[in-house]
Amino acid sequence: MSRLILNRRKFLIGSAALTSSAALSGCSQFDFLGQRDNPIRNAMERANVLTYSAQRALIGEQTLAREFAESEIRQGMKPNGSTEPTTPEYMFLRQANFEPYRLTIKGMVDRELSFSLAELRNMPARTQITRHDCVEGWSCIAKWTGTPLGPILDQAGVKPGARYCVYHCFDNIQRTISGDILYYTSSDLIDAYHPQTILSYGLNDQVLPVSNGAPVRLRIERALGYKQPKYLHTIELVDDLSPFGRGQGGYWEDNGYDWYGGI
Ligand SMILES: Nc1nc2c(c(=O)[nH]1)N[C@H]1C(S)=C(S)[C@@H](COP(=O)(O)O)O[C@H]1N2
Ligand SMILES: [Mo]
């Protein structure tokens, strides 16, 4: 963990230094942008691709969240937040036993892809026993089974400028006079490609129940509970989180929770 933080920090210092020296040079100085071989221009161009490729460079350095033994599973996974979505789309899928469900990968990808539940279940699976920590102050150890997200993103072909995955969910977490607010959250690509990040369809050796996010919920094991989107239907690759919700990268993030939400 500390190694990763160090790397993230170095990475941030590096890019901040670049930004500030470019800023110091002042707007009127930006004529050099038209010159092909200007070193500052080259550095700025590299800063743009720093998004996907710099994140990829850190991926090898990732630490794993702690995994537990079967004997440490002491209780069922406590359902929290939405536990029974009532949107028409979700109710339709639920009564059809999720047969027509599709998970879509879209946005800054070379090809938009979608997968049925059967297709996801036929992909290589990973099972992990981990601890879920909710900011409300409780935690549960549970066994999650699903398909790793990284290879699926590779199939879609993440475009070089992409920086985040936005996770769109079916449930109306809040109803307001201007309409339903649907749950969403987001992560960087480091967390998306983390080896323990799985599209989970199994919980404690059973089919994932509706109360815990059926048919598919994402696990990002080094993040807090609100970064574990249930009722997931679309993963959108983007370079900017501001167009979604109130612009903070998630439903709870829009309500003041930290975006990174790391443990
Ligand atoms: N779609 C969706 N995902 C969600 C939530 C939610 O309300 N809707 N709540 C979050 C919070 S705060 C927690 S603690 C966990 C709860 O997951 P669980 O019901 O499996 O315990 O889901 C997270 N993901
Ligand atoms: Mo939570």
Side-chain angles (χ1 to χ4, degrees):
M1 190 71 196
S2 57
R3 208 166 153 212
L4 180 74
I5 286 173
L6 212 110
N7 275 309
R8 277 176 191 259
R9 198 167 288 151
K10 265 197 227 148
F11 165 78
L12 288 175
I13 290 170
S15 53
L18 177 66
T19 315
S20 58
S21 63
L24 277 177
S25 66
C27 292
S28 57
Q29 307 292 311
F30 276 100
D31 293 353
F32 65 77
L33 288 175
Q35 299 160 22
R36 210 152 252 200
D37 287 323
N38 186 291
I40 300 180
R41 177 172 191 255
N42 291 342
M44 286 181 72
E45 265 178 9
R46 257 178 276 124
N48 288 334
V49 284
L50 190 119
T51 52
Y52 178 61
S53 50
Q55 292 194 29
R56 276 315 299 240
L58 296 179
I59 282 162
E61 314 254 348
Q62 303 211 57
T63 51
L64 296 180
R66 180 169 167 204
E67 293 191 18
F68 296 79
E70 299 265 352
S71 58
E72 292 171 284
I73 304 173
R74 298 215 173 80
Q75 67 209 109
M77 181 71 193
K78 170 189 151 74
N80 196 45
S82 299
T83 52
E84 221 176 300
T86 57
T87 51
E89 295 86 345
Y90 188 81
M91 299 221 290
F92 164 76
L93 289 173
R94 187 181 175 179
Q95 58 80 29
N97 209 17
F98 301 111
E99 281 298 325
Y101 170 82
R102 301 204 70 91
L103 175 82
T104 302
I105 315 290
K106 68 173 195 183
M108 296 176 71
V109 288
D110 295 331
R111 52 208 149 258
E112 184 170 318
L113 296 178
S114 84
F115 301 93
S116 69
L117 203 47
E119 286 169 332
L120 291 174
R121 285 179 178 146
N122 279 326
M123 290 177 187
R126 185 187 156 91
T127 293
Q128 57 207 28
I129 302 173
T130 52
R131 197 184 66 206
H132 174 107
D133 294 301
C134 174
V135 284
E136 290 167 0
W138 54 270
S139 57
C140 277
I141 292 174
K143 183 180 188 178
W144 301 97
T145 301
T147 186
L149 177 57
I152 289 182
L153 294 178
D154 280 342
Q155 264 188 60
V158 174
K159 289 209 155 97
R163 303 177 65 176
Y164 311 104
C165 285
V166 179
Y167 306 106
H168 298 282
C169 306
F170 281 115
D171 56 311
N172 43 353
I173 179 81
Q174 200 184 325
R175 317 190 100 167
T176 72
I177 38 167
S178 41
D180 284 356
I181 298 179
L182 301 174
Y183 197 94
Y184 79 105
T185 186
S186 56
S187 77
D188 59 20
L189 296 175
I190 296 177
D191 274 341
Y193 275 96
H194 187 272
Q196 287 168 318
T197 296
I198 58 173
L199 293 157
S200 171
Y201 46 76
L203 170 60
N204 293 335
D205 296 317
Q206 307 289 317
V207 170
L208 182 68
V210 164
S211 58
N212 299 106
V216 173
R217 81 94 58 83
L218 192 69
R219 296 294 310 168
I220 300 181
E221 298 294 357
R222 294 172 310 172
L224 288 163
Y226 62 92
K227 305 295 282 187
Q228 321 291 330
K230 309 198 280 187
Y231 319 112
L232 179 64
H233 63 79
T234 300
I235 300 179
E236 187 173 354
L237 279 293
V238 301
D239 60 0
D240 179 14
L241 296 172
S242 65
F244 305 96
R246 283 193 257 148
Q248 301 306 304
Y251 171 73
W252 282 115
E253 295 84 337
D254 284 338
N255 286 284
Y257 287 11
D258 174 52
W259 176 75
Y260 181 55
I263 308 182

